[in-house]
Amino acid sequence: DVYGYDGDKISLDCLAAYLMDCVREVVACSEASNMVLEQIRPLSYTQIRFMQVTNEQMHTWSQDVNAYLAHEDEGSFETSVRISAADVVALLGQTFGTQGWRAVLSSVMQLLDESLRLRQA
């Protein structure tokens, strides 16, 4: 369990939101650009992992688009994290241009390869 300065327990939802805000600020900070560039690949990989949906969600949403819209409209923690991660991924590309987009593409390809290997196991 994690507790704040006031002694109250901090939820996982809250920690993830703080993490996303922090990462977004670091990526946008020009003074941190060299540090971000050194870690751009693992950073993009992690953010894309936060964007993933489950097979069950894909099945449900492919059968009923309204279920997807309802889920996204709920404003759930899961939706917020996915949107925040997508914002960071887009910011990587916008801020670092070709290097950013290459890191994103490489991360997507790695995740697809990992997924394929897991399905075949």
Side-chain angles (χ1 to χ4, degrees):
D1 292 340
V2 178
Y3 296 89
Y5 293 112
D6 57 3
D8 290 341
K9 187 175 179 181
I10 300 175
S11 71
L12 179 61
D13 298 3
C14 189
L15 284 174
Y18 289 146
L19 172 67
M20 292 297 168
D21 289 343
C22 179
V23 169
R24 186 180 312 107
E25 291 301 318
V26 169
V27 169
C29 177
S30 60
E31 289 86 13
S33 63
N34 287 337
M35 179 183 68
V36 172
L37 277 172
E38 288 175 12
Q39 297 299 318
I40 198 164
R41 176 73 172 66
L43 180 60
S44 66
Y45 177 88
T46 302
Q47 295 303 303
I48 293 169
R49 292 285 311 256
F50 276 112
M51 294 167 54
Q52 290 181 314
V53 297
T54 65
N55 285 336
E56 182 179 315
Q57 288 170 322
M58 286 297 296
H59 177 74
T60 300
W61 296 341
S62 67
Q63 301 296 315
D64 182 7
V65 170
N66 290 326
Y68 168 76
L69 295 173
H71 178 81
E72 296 296 304
D73 285 343
E74 288 174 0
S76 69
F77 159 72
E78 178 185 335
T79 301
S80 300
V81 168
R82 198 166 44 247
I83 290 169
S84 293
D87 289 345
V88 171
V89 167
L91 188 58
L92 286 171
Q94 293 165 359
T95 304
F96 298 102
T98 301
Q99 287 178 289
W101 292 119
R102 282 187 179 151
V104 169
L105 179 59
S106 178
S107 297
V108 168
M109 297 307 295
Q110 180 181 348
L111 286 161
L112 288 172
D113 287 344
E114 289 171 5
S115 175
L116 182 60
R117 272 187 259 122
L118 286 171
R119 289 176 191 218
Q120 291 174 344

